[in-house]
Amino acid sequence: MGSNNKMVFVMVDGIADTSIPEYGRKTTLQVANTPTMDAMSLSGINGAMDPVEPGFACGSDTAHLSILGYDPRKYYRGRGAFESMGAGLDMQPGDIAFKSNFATLDKSSGIVISRRADRNFEHLGPTLCDYLTGIKLPSFPDYRVDVKYATEHRCGVRVRGPNLTDSITGTDPLKDNLPLLKATPLDINSHDSVLTSKIVNELSEEIQKALENHPINIERREKGLPVANVVLLRGCGVCVEAPTFKQKYGMNAFMIAPTCIIAGLGMSVKIDVIESEGGTGDYHTNLQSKADTLLKYILDDNKYQFGFLHIKAVDDAGHDKNAPLKIEFLEKIDKMLHFIISQLAIAQNEKKGNFTICLTGDHSTPVLTGDHSYEPVPFTICKVIEADKIINNNNNNNNNNNNNNNNNNNNNNIENSICFCDNVKDFNEIESTGGVLGRFPGGQAMNIICQYMNN
């Protein structure tokens, strides 16, 4: 790898969508005003990426593994370990961990009324996690339980002790208004599988007892708010054993990923996880802080050659079926990308590196369904210096109120450039399918990135 060639990878969680009738059958990306994303597509190469494989509605964890070049069929061992590591719980061989939700349970019927007790849980979650840490399992005194707050209604739960396995199901019904599940062994002939399921079921019951009359829940009942009286345990996982990112690609990498599951995944392959002040994994995130942090570390001499920036809020808007909010955040991200590209272009002109930038998503989260879906996501990669030329040209022409010359000058910039590009002019789900990359699986993304950034 050329040490002066550097890569910025921006991953927008849940970026893709489907056509929406109220917007004239356009997607949220087509409706959003995203001139920077369009400039990236115009100056680079494009395609439609299936994060794992065609027709597979994947989770963020399997998608990220695949896109970073780690086949999830080989390396995926449940999302619980990623969530817990990202939250700050170390994982040792033999530990199991869960990606968990504070939720609301109707005790009389055993129905999970809401899988999210409250999205705005950041002031209460840490207190409840500290309270549950070290909770005793009467039938299994040799096992240690630790709970760590993640974000919103989420937490990581780690169980440590002998003969544990990830070969069990979880307790999360995955949809509201369904019964709380019992953990079951995936292999009824396995002693460890049967044992672990019994331990997890007792853990679920003891957590319910502990939470039922906690002062926080007493106060929430008095205010008519949903109580957080159960922790849903899902995605039982163990440590991933995989080659490090540097071993695979010869690059030192860092990651800005406030969502614990993505941060934990990065830690699993020895990507440095960097915090950005105010860069949360929700609607309150500070995108400017994320951009500033990214620039600080990617411009830090030759320490890092690869910077990965994960943005979550767009996915939340999809899950909340809020199209206007999804469009709003896409436009905010576009402004952030403008700032990043302009600063990297200045740095490149000052001989501080040759910068490439890639933009894509880990899956679609259509606002019509509010859940992950199986459509491919748009993918673009370009040279920062070329995208910056188009952005500046657009700004100059907008200042001159001369839109006709704007399109002509953009085309002239591309024709006179020595960069490799295609005919895609807009970054969205539809246009990207006409790019030179065609439709490809996420497992090929890093090969494309490595070849393009060093070309």
Side-chain angles (χ1 to χ4, degrees):
M1 283 289 168
S3 61
N4 209 35
N5 296 332
K6 298 189 176 186
M7 180 72 212
V8 169
F9 194 149
V10 180
M11 177 72 79
V12 180
D13 203 308
I15 192 171
D17 215 300
T18 55
S19 60
I20 304 170
E22 66 184 277
Y23 291 117
R25 309 302 303 183
K26 292 183 177 180
T27 70
T28 47
L29 261 176
Q30 288 177 301
V31 174
N33 180 28
T34 55
T36 306
M37 297 182 191
D38 295 342
M40 292 172 64
S41 284
L42 182 59
S43 61
I45 58 174
N46 302 268
M49 180 179 71
D50 293 291
V52 177
E53 63 184 21
F56 181 64
C58 55
S60 291
D61 47 1
T62 51
H64 277 73
L65 271 176
S66 176
I67 293 167
L68 291 174
Y70 296 87
D71 185 348
R73 296 169 187 80
K74 181 177 181 181
Y75 295 110
Y76 184 68
R77 295 294 302 272
R79 64 194 309 167
F82 298 146
E83 183 85 14
S84 298
M85 289 176 68
L89 293 171
D90 68 292
M91 291 289 294
Q92 298 177 4
D95 293 349
I96 60 169
F98 299 87
K99 174 182 169 63
S100 307
N101 290 7
F102 283 102
T104 302
L105 177 71
D106 181 348
K107 296 285 288 185
S108 62
S109 65
I111 299 295
V112 177
I113 299 170
S114 175
R115 295 179 61 251
R116 304 167 182 164
D118 196 329
R119 269 206 191 276
N120 298 309
F121 212 58
E122 58 271 12
H123 301 301
L124 306 177
T127 300
L128 291 180
C129 288
D130 289 345
Y131 177 67
L132 293 175
T133 290
I135 190 169
K136 302 301 182 183
L137 304 180
S139 305
F140 305 98
D142 294 334
Y143 293 82
R144 164 80 187 185
V145 178
D146 290 275
V147 185
K148 198 81 170 181
Y149 180 67
T151 184
E152 297 177 324
H153 53 280
R154 303 181 182 93
C155 62
V157 178
R158 183 192 67 199
V159 183
R160 177 169 289 169
N163 304 117
L164 294 171
T165 176
D166 59 343
S167 183
I168 62 166
T169 64
T171 66
D172 186 352
L174 301 181
K175 289 186 178 180
D176 293 344
N177 298 311
L178 290 176
L180 179 69
L181 300 179
K182 292 283 189 181
T184 59
L186 293 177
D187 182 357
I188 59 174
N189 296 315
S190 165
H191 169 271
D192 291 355
S193 188
V194 172
L195 171 68
T196 304
S197 65
K198 291 179 179 178
I199 292 169
V200 171
N201 286 327
E202 183 162 312
L203 172 60
S204 178
E205 293 169 3
E206 292 302 316
I207 287 176
Q208 292 171 54
K209 294 176 186 177
L211 290 177
E212 186 63 26
N213 291 309
H214 188 279
I216 286 177
N217 281 327
I218 292 173
E219 182 179 352
R220 289 179 72 83
R221 284 194 192 95
E222 292 173 350
K223 293 181 177 180
L225 297 173
V227 294
N229 62 346
V230 67
V231 173
L232 304 178
L233 305 168
R234 65 178 171 130
C236 183
V238 297
C239 290
V240 172
E241 295 182 9
T244 68
F245 188 88
K246 186 171 184 180
Q247 287 172 337
K248 281 180 72 72
Y249 304 112
M251 292 185 284
N252 293 318
F254 71 89
M255 171 184 284
I256 301 169
T259 55
C260 292
I261 191 167
I262 305 305
L265 189 153
M267 293 175 186
S268 297
V269 294
K270 300 299 186 286
I271 295 176
D272 292 345
V273 177
I274 307 296
E275 293 187 6
S276 64
E277 185 176 355
T280 62
D282 54 30
Y283 295 143
H284 308 296
T285 189
N286 186 332
L287 294 178
Q288 185 61 50
S289 174
K290 287 187 175 183
D292 291 339
T293 305
L294 173 77
L295 291 167
K296 174 184 176 181
Y297 284 89
I298 200 69
L299 295 176
D300 183 12
D301 296 325
N302 289 321
K303 183 175 182 180
Y304 294 109
Q305 296 80 46
F306 188 97
F308 185 95
L309 174 58
H310 177 262
I311 301 170
K312 170 69 172 168
V314 167
D315 180 57
D316 283 349
H319 283 297
D320 290 340
K321 300 184 178 181
N322 192 331
L325 188 58
K326 189 168 185 179
I327 292 168
E328 178 185 334
F329 267 99
L330 288 169
E331 293 179 346
K332 288 180 178 179
I333 292 167
D334 193 78
K335 291 182 173 65
M336 179 202 71
L337 288 169
H338 184 178
F339 175 74
I340 291 171
I341 288 172
S342 66
Q343 295 304 303
L344 290 178
I346 291 171
Q348 183 160 332
N349 288 327
E350 294 174 350
K351 310 299 183 185
K352 294 180 179 178
N354 301 314
F355 298 98
T356 301
I357 186 167
C358 177
L359 172 66
T360 190
D362 57 346
H363 54 74
S364 58
T365 309
V367 296
L368 292 180
T369 60
D371 205 352
H372 296 187
S373 191
Y374 50 79
E375 296 79 17
V377 297
F379 178 101
T380 190
I381 184 170
C382 67
K383 301 296 185 182
V384 161
I385 206 73
E386 300 299 334
D388 187 61
K389 289 177 184 176
I390 292 174
I391 292 168
N392 288 332
N393 186 63
N394 285 344
N395 290 339
N396 291 336
N397 281 313
N398 287 336
N399 290 337
N400 294 330
N401 294 316
N402 193 340
N403 292 326
N404 289 330
N405 285 340
N406 180 33
N407 288 333
N408 291 334
N409 288 340
N410 279 343
N411 289 333
N412 288 337
N413 278 344
I414 295 300
E415 290 172 3
N416 295 331
S417 171
I418 60 171
C419 70
F420 177 37
C421 59
D422 53 33
N423 291 322
V424 176
K425 296 179 173 60
D426 299 303
F427 182 78
N428 61 59
E429 302 89 342
I430 310 303
E431 294 297 320
S432 66
T433 61
V436 69
L437 296 174
R439 185 169 178 174
F440 64 95
Q444 295 179 4
M446 281 301 301
N447 289 335
I448 293 169
I449 286 170
C450 291
Q451 290 183 53
Y452 190 91
M453 69 178 286
N454 291 297
N455 186 338

